[in-house]
Amino acid sequence: MQIKSAEFLISNTNYKKCPLENKPEYAFIGRSNVGKSSLINMLTSHKDLAKTSSQPGKTQLINHFLINGEWYLVDLPGYGYARSSKTNREKWQKMILDYIKNRNNLVTIFVLVDSRIPPQTIDVEFINFLGEIQIPFVIVFTKTDKNKQQETAQTLSNYKKKLMESWEELPLFFLTSSETKYGKDRVLDYIELLNKDFKGQMNINN
Ligand code: GTP
Ligand code: MG
């Protein structure tokens, strides 16, 4: 899919104030600093569309971006940001969970995990939680430019092993680098495919 336009629409703390649920939506989630905002910039070829930082905890709100006038990308705050206060962490957690559970046009969640490190409990717990509440998701391994190919393959294999402990079927995986743009076409083509499904569903329901 070609990205012809990408614009920031609105930031919210409450899912009820997000844009109308009439377009397919894809949210990026993962631990702070994993590269959610960078991936949004890479996919849309906009350097500063989503704000990034080398310090974790940069994104603090639910940020909606309208892509090609047809679908939404959503940048979320990271979970597990240890240096924020407990009250703040709980507030973010509630905001994110309310959004995930209640957003009707959310087609798929992209769960980002760092390709350089072994499966982290917080990530695996979050993935298992999505399964429990039956929200479709895929896993995106970020920052692959920082690894040798073999190291990424090892992380992937560790994840597969870990997830097979609780899943019968593995989710889709994507390997990406916001530095080299690796994985860009694969992710965008997948979204294009899901957008078509969403249109099909809308036609059936109307
Ligand atoms: P929060 O908003 O704090 O939750 O973080 P985030 O997940 O949005 O991460 P962000 O995109 O701000 O990136 C965090 C840091 O990682 C920045 O310094 C980025 O430049 C760097 N980074 C992100 N993606 C990549 C990548 O693919 N390769 C490399 N080498 N660095 C990356
Ligand atoms: Mg961010």
Side-chain angles (χ1 to χ4, degrees), residues 23-95:
K23 293 181 174 63
E25 181 158 315
Y26 306 90
F28 285 19
I29 198 160
R31 275 180 305 122
S32 280
N33 209 245
V34 72
K36 301 174 292 294
S37 304
S38 302
L39 187 61
I40 287 180
N41 292 338
M42 185 274 262
L43 292 174
T44 56
S45 302
H46 280 57
K47 227 175 97 222
D48 292 317
L49 188 66
K51 299 282 168 281
T52 67
S53 167
S54 56
Q55 304 293 321
K58 176 70 179 172
T59 310
Q60 305 211 353
L61 299 165
I62 303 168
N63 298 297
H64 271 78
F65 301 92
L66 178 63
I67 315 297
N68 290 352
E70 288 181 344
W71 52 281
Y72 298 124
L73 265 184
V74 176
D75 192 13
L76 293 171
Y79 50 70
Y81 175 40
R83 276 205 294 173
S84 69
S85 70
K86 187 160 177 271
T87 332
N88 250 340
R89 269 208 310 269
E90 282 169 0
K91 226 169 50 191
W92 285 3
Q93 202 168 1
K94 183 170 172 2
M95 171 174 87

Side-chain angles (χ1 to χ4, degrees), residues 164-178:
M164 286 309 268
E165 290 173 14
S166 36
W167 292 79
E168 278 175 25
E169 221 180 302
L170 287 171
L172 265 186
F173 291 109
F174 292 93
L175 302 180
T176 63
S177 161
S178 297

Side-chain angles (χ1 to χ4, degrees), residues 105-169:
N105 59 332
L106 187 57
V107 175
T108 286
I109 295 194
F110 287 75
V111 182
L112 276 62
V113 297
D114 194 321
S115 65
R116 297 169 300 174
I117 53 175
Q120 302 291 295
T121 306
I122 193 167
D123 293 321
V124 174
E125 279 178 2
F126 183 73
I127 287 166
N128 290 343
F129 164 75
L130 289 178
E132 276 160 33
I133 62 169
Q134 300 197 314
I135 302 276
F137 68 93
V138 297
I139 299 181
V140 177
F141 291 90
T142 63
K143 308 191 185 184
T144 57
D145 59 284
K146 293 203 169 190
N147 292 332
K148 295 200 182 79
Q149 221 172 354
Q150 206 194 339
E151 291 164 338
T152 304
Q154 186 60 53
T155 308
L156 208 78
S157 153
N158 291 341
Y159 257 92
K160 285 182 180 165
K161 228 183 273 165
K162 186 79 204 164
L163 292 180
M164 286 309 268
E165 290 173 14
S166 36
W167 292 79
E168 278 175 25
E169 221 180 302

